């Protein structure tokens, strides 16, 4: 049985929609294979319904905040070997500039930058 210990968790309501996020603060101390193990744990947490039973909603994202663009690319590629969903990446510098809701996020399985929440009119 894997231990599930995210670095953080939060929810926000935005335009009548609830968004749920786990947070992983990476300090470049974890090997890529160990991080992939964490990815499997998150996927299992969702697939087996543990998240839905505990929090009452089905979907969540995992926000991975890293110290550098190089580390971001390495972790993103490692995650993409396992899944193309739920993992979003940015650098500590971007979040330090209070741009969390801005298009600073890169998604596993996708190219480009994305807003954290759907900013289109409801």
């Amino acid at each position: 049985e894997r231990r599930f210990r995210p670095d953080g968790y939060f929810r926000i309501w935005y335009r009548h929609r609830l968004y749920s996020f786990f947070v992983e603060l990476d300090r470049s101390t974890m090997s890529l294979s160990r991080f992939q193990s964490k990815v499997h744990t998150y996927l299992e947490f969702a697939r087996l319904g543990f998240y839905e039973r505990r929090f009452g909603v089905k979907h969540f994202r995992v926000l991975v905040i890293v110290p550098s663009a190089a580390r971001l690319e390495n972790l993103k590629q490692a995650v993409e070997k396992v899944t193309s969903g739920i993992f979003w990446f940015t650098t500590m510098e971007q979040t330090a500039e209070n741009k969390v809701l801005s298009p600073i996020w890169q998604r596993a399985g996708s190219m480009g930058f994305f807003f954290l929440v759907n900013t289109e009119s409801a």
Side-chain angles (χ1 to χ4, degrees):
E1 183 176 311
R2 297 179 193 184
R3 292 184 68 139
F4 184 71
R5 295 188 139 199
D7 293 328
Y9 176 78
F10 70 98
R11 292 176 168 186
I12 58 173
W13 281 98
Y14 184 79
R15 295 190 177 168
H16 309 290
R17 183 171 176 200
L18 178 64
Y19 293 86
S20 301
F21 306 97
F22 285 102
V23 178
E24 290 293 333
L25 296 173
D26 178 75
R27 296 178 294 156
S28 298
T29 58
M30 186 180 294
S31 71
L32 295 179
S33 62
R34 187 164 165 229
F35 193 83
Q36 284 176 322
S37 179
K38 262 192 164 182
V39 170
H40 285 288
T41 301
Y42 274 106
L43 294 174
E44 185 174 274
F45 189 65
R47 183 181 60 81
L48 296 176
F50 296 143
Y51 178 75
E52 187 172 10
R53 284 194 297 278
R54 182 165 182 195
F55 294 98
V57 291
K58 191 170 189 160
H59 302 286
F60 63 87
R61 294 178 185 160
V62 180
L63 307 180
V64 183
I65 303 170
V66 300
S68 69
R71 178 66 172 177
L72 184 151
E73 190 58 37
N74 288 337
L75 284 182
K76 185 174 181 249
Q77 287 177 8
V79 168
E80 289 172 339
K81 291 178 181 176
V82 178
T83 185
S84 62
I86 75 170
F87 286 84
W88 293 47
F89 303 85
T90 197
T91 63
M92 289 180 193
E93 180 182 358
Q94 291 284 7
T95 61
E97 295 174 8
N98 294 319
K99 297 179 179 181
V100 176
L101 296 179
S102 299
I104 62 169
W105 298 94
Q106 296 183 49
R107 295 169 28 188
S110 298
M111 299 291 289
F113 292 88
F114 300 87
F115 286 93
L116 187 59
V117 297
N118 183 358
T119 59
E120 297 177 9
S121 297

